[in-house]
Amino acid sequence: MNYQVLRIEEDLDFGCEERSDDAPVMAVVTLRDAHGCEIKRKLPDQLLYDRGIREGDWVDSDVEKCQKN
């Protein structure tokens, strides 16, 4: 399924501890499908850079379908 990348934000939620030195930097990516359904995914920030993914881009993903209310 195709999704538009609406937002890419740094994941700052580390719980009660800081991110460990060996943990990859993660991003929270907000995606929207053609029906207007939005899904948030945590992805490695480096993956987004490696694939040249930016806000506004359309990407193909196998993310779970969301329920529209």
Side-chain angles (χ1 to χ4, degrees):
M1 180 170 274
N2 288 318
Y3 292 88
Q4 184 176 25
V5 178
L6 296 181
R7 282 181 301 283
I8 299 173
E9 302 168 300
E10 185 177 351
D11 179 23
L12 300 174
D13 183 14
F14 307 117
C16 58
E17 298 183 14
E18 293 186 19
R19 180 175 61 88
S20 65
D21 291 337
D22 61 341
V25 175
M26 299 295 283
V28 178
V29 181
T30 304
L31 304 168
R32 180 175 55 204
D33 68 15
H35 305 289
C37 188
E38 293 185 12
I39 296 173
K40 289 189 178 190
R41 293 284 309 263
K42 282 188 183 183
L43 298 170
D45 194 51
Q46 190 61 49
L47 175 73
L48 301 173
Y49 281 114
D50 291 347
R51 296 186 182 180
I53 297 173
R54 296 189 172 113
E55 291 180 353
D57 289 349
W58 284 85
V59 296
D60 187 35
S61 181
D62 61 350
V63 298
E64 65 280 355
K65 293 183 181 181
C66 71
Q67 301 292 334
K68 270 191 96 168
N69 296 333

